[in-house]
Amino acid sequence: DTEVTQTPKHLVMGMTNKKSLKCEQHMGHRAMYWYKQKAKKPPELMFVYSYEKLSINESVPSRFSPECPNSSLLNLHLHALQPEDSALYLCASSQGPTIQETQYFGPGTRLLVL
Amino acid sequence: ELKVEQNPLFLSMQEGKNYTIYCNYSTTSDRLYWYRQDPGKSLESLFVLLSNGAVKQEGRLMASLDTKARLSTLHITAAVHDLSATYFCAVDPNTGKLIFGQGTTLQVKP
């Protein structure tokens, strides 16, 4: 099973809302990632978790807050977002521990900030 | 700073024709990945190339890696409409980060 699941598929939120994106994998992978993808652009790395610890934060604004409750779950908490944060948010996982294995991507959450 | 450059960025081709997408990168790396993305969808892993001279084939797609030239190619043989998508190459420079090229949008016309 090489599946990464993400919920919700679509999300519309106002600039004062708080929401969370969820990602789950049951492949026993030890590295999980959040990417942001704007239309017609490549994915941009936001965060990397390795063995449930944050290992890379690509200078992402604090209105994005990642959380890894256990080895199968990854959350991205959203607060006070801006319209320019509207994008496709992709979660991925890989076997690790060197974080150099193939990354498997989830279907994404399409976020619209009004 | 690692740069990954693909060309062409857009490719319109007729069914049945052959073509090659190129991926150049600017620093040493022994791992190169090719992904496919359909419009509005996620990324699907196509190939992982792990060493110099690696060649992998799946159906009408063949990928190769030349680490000395820092070049990977994705060759399309006898294109069909179902291959229409955006193709990304990505490089892992042993930093834990995957650096993507700009993507090549392939449009195959009947």
Side-chain angles (χ1 to χ4, degrees):
Chain A
D1 180 12
T2 56
E3 189 178 22
V4 177
T5 59
Q6 289 186 244
T7 55
K9 290 184 180 179
H10 301 274
L11 179 62
V12 180
M13 59 187 291
M15 289 189 283
T16 58
N17 293 157
K18 286 185 180 180
K19 296 287 185 183
S20 296
L21 309 185
K22 296 184 185 301
C23 174
E24 192 167 3
Q25 57 88 13
H26 294 288
M27 297 178 277
H29 288 176
R30 304 316 298 264
M32 296 185 76
Y33 312 78
W34 280 115
Y35 288 87
K36 172 182 177 179
Q37 187 179 26
K38 301 285 267 185
K40 300 189 186 303
K41 296 291 186 183
E44 297 174 22
L45 183 66
M46 299 174 73
F47 303 104
V48 181
Y49 273 82
S50 177
Y51 287 90
E52 302 163 46
K53 292 190 184 328
L54 183 64
S55 60
I56 294 176
N57 177 340
E58 288 291 279
S59 302
V60 178
S62 60
R63 57 185 185 268
F64 295 91
S65 175
E67 178 196 18
C68 189
N70 61 55
S71 60
S72 300
L73 293 174
L74 186 66
N75 298 323
L76 186 62
H77 302 297
L78 313 174
H79 173 56
L81 294 193
Q82 303 296 311
E84 59 264 28
D85 297 321
S86 299
L88 180 66
Y89 287 85
L90 294 164
C91 173
S93 71
S94 66
Q95 200 160 23
T98 59
I99 322 181
Q100 293 177 4
E101 306 293 333
T102 298
Q103 293 182 25
Y104 294 93
F105 285 80
T109 294
R110 191 161 296 281
L111 173 67
L112 177 61
V113 182
L114 300 176
Chain B
E1 179 189 347
L2 171 63
K3 290 185 179 179
V4 181
E5 295 184 344
Q6 290 181 231
N7 74 85
L9 299 183
F10 182 79
L11 177 55
S12 180
M13 56 192 297
Q14 296 289 116
E15 278 192 330
K17 298 292 187 183
N18 303 333
Y19 210 82
T20 300
I21 299 170
Y22 297 89
C23 174
N24 288 93
Y25 53 99
S26 62
T27 195
T28 302
S29 176
D30 291 331
R31 287 176 183 257
L32 189 134
Y33 306 82
W34 283 98
Y35 286 89
R36 167 182 172 149
Q37 187 174 36
D38 291 296
K41 303 292 185 181
S42 189
L43 279 80
E44 174 191 355
S45 176
L46 294 175
F47 301 108
V48 182
L49 302 169
L50 300 177
S51 60
N52 188 41
V55 177
K56 291 197 174 179
Q57 183 162 6
E58 180 75 32
R60 301 175 188 274
L61 300 178
M62 184 173 70
S64 65
L65 179 62
D66 181 343
T67 58
K68 292 179 182 177
R70 299 179 184 170
L71 171 68
S72 180
T73 60
L74 181 66
H75 186 73
I76 303 151
T77 301
V80 293
H81 179 70
D82 285 352
L83 290 179
S84 298
T86 297
Y87 294 85
F88 291 99
C89 64
V91 173
D92 177 358
N94 300 328
T95 61
K97 302 180 190 179
L98 203 57
I99 310 298
F100 285 85
Q102 312 99 307
T104 297
T105 298
L106 173 64
Q107 186 180 75
V108 181
K109 297 180 178 179

